[in-house]
Amino acid sequence: QKEVEQDPGPLSVPEGAIVSLNCTYSNSAFQYFMWYRQYSRKGPELLMYTYSSGNKEDGRFTAQVDKSSKYISLFIRDSQPSDSATYLCAMSGQGAQKLVFGQGTRLTINP
Amino acid sequence: GAVVSQHPSWVICKSGTSVKIECRSLDFQATTMFWYRQFPKQSLMLMATSNEGSKATYEQGVEKDKFLINHASLTLSTLTVTSAHPEDSSFYICSAIMGQGFEKLFFGSGTQLSVL
């Protein structure tokens, strides 16, 4: 069983839709939960990170962590074509030194 | 954000040859650099962690004699794939961190290696 599972998609939605991206994990030692965005031929960029359970909001983006279910989500409100990218979840039990990534979900927002 | 430059962005080589990939932090000194590998439709997998002036720490299952890492300065780390074979064909990506904290970790753009 993979430590982190993420549906690779692809996921295609119309502009303005609410997007939900999810990851599940098996390692209960994970304490830090990250979402990265990766445009084509670019490196991943950190969108948000959360420590332990709870919600975190940043503009149109909301990250949720449910440690009891080992499930994390990223919601994108009022999605824009510029949000089209691959979204990677990542997790760690001990800081930035040891990140475990999901496969990434390829998202396309259609104008 | 800070910039991490990775070169080359893609490389094609013959089986048996060695390939060197460079990772530079352009506007900061990186205390630690990381090397990842990603096979098609799979996740980024950490290969090794390197600190300037010391030997790299390799993840389980990664051959240190095949994937040579040199971290000669606080701004440069290199990954050399020695005697590359087709099964080494993959996307290699580096990251660099200045200090601690996830917001201080920056990734390069990656190198697509194809071994014929």
Side-chain angles (χ1 to χ4, degrees):
Chain A
Q1 182 185 8
K2 293 178 183 176
E3 279 193 289
V4 180
E5 297 271 6
Q6 182 177 8
D7 185 342
L11 179 62
S12 182
V13 301
E15 183 176 356
I18 296 175
V19 177
S20 173
L21 304 168
N22 312 292
C23 289
T24 59
Y25 63 96
S26 58
N27 190 342
S28 57
F30 289 145
Q31 296 286 341
Y32 300 91
F33 305 91
M34 281 69 66
W35 286 97
Y36 285 87
R37 178 174 61 196
Q38 185 175 22
Y39 292 114
S40 181
R41 287 187 289 275
K42 298 286 186 182
E45 299 172 287
L46 180 66
L47 273 177
M48 305 176 69
Y49 78 91
T50 308
Y51 173 72
S52 195
S53 284
N55 295 357
K56 189 171 186 179
E57 187 173 322
D58 184 1
R60 297 185 293 111
F61 298 87
T62 300
Q64 289 186 349
V65 174
D66 182 350
K67 290 189 69 180
S68 62
S69 302
K70 296 189 175 66
Y71 186 89
I72 71 170
S73 301
L74 178 70
F75 298 95
I76 306 174
R77 292 186 301 278
D78 187 25
S79 55
Q80 304 294 313
S82 58
D83 294 329
S84 298
T86 296
Y87 289 80
L88 302 153
C89 65
M91 306 180 189
S92 172
Q94 51 182 299
Q97 305 288 340
K98 293 267 188 181
L99 295 185
V100 180
F101 284 87
Q103 287 178 273
T105 300
R106 181 173 289 184
L107 172 67
T108 300
I109 308 297
N110 300 303
Chain B
V3 178
V4 174
S5 174
Q6 190 172 339
H7 179 80
S9 55
W10 58 271
V11 59
I12 301 173
C13 70
K14 293 182 179 180
S15 185
T17 60
S18 294
V19 174
K20 181 184 283 188
I21 303 170
E22 288 189 352
C23 180
R24 291 181 185 273
S25 56
L26 296 186
D27 49 3
F28 67 98
Q29 292 186 326
T31 52
T32 305
M33 289 187 173
F34 307 90
W35 287 95
Y36 292 84
R37 178 170 55 182
Q38 184 177 30
F39 292 110
K41 298 187 179 181
Q42 296 189 24
S43 55
L44 282 167
M45 297 291 292
L46 180 65
M47 298 176 65
T49 302
S50 73
N51 294 292
E52 183 260 343
S54 61
K55 290 185 178 180
T57 302
Y58 291 81
E59 295 300 302
Q60 191 174 10
V62 178
E63 300 174 59
K64 61 180 180 181
D65 294 331
K66 181 166 187 65
F67 299 100
L68 300 179
I69 293 172
N70 185 293
H71 195 154
S73 74
L74 285 171
T75 59
L76 174 64
S77 177
T78 60
L79 169 68
T80 301
V81 183
T82 61
S83 186
H85 289 94
E87 57 265 31
D88 298 322
S89 298
S90 186
F91 185 69
Y92 294 86
I93 191 165
C94 69
S95 65
I97 191 167
M98 52 175 178
Q100 297 183 357
F102 301 102
E103 67 278 6
K104 291 180 167 52
L105 177 69
F106 303 96
F107 286 82
S109 297
T111 298
Q112 181 63 53
L113 170 63
S114 296
V115 184
L116 305 178

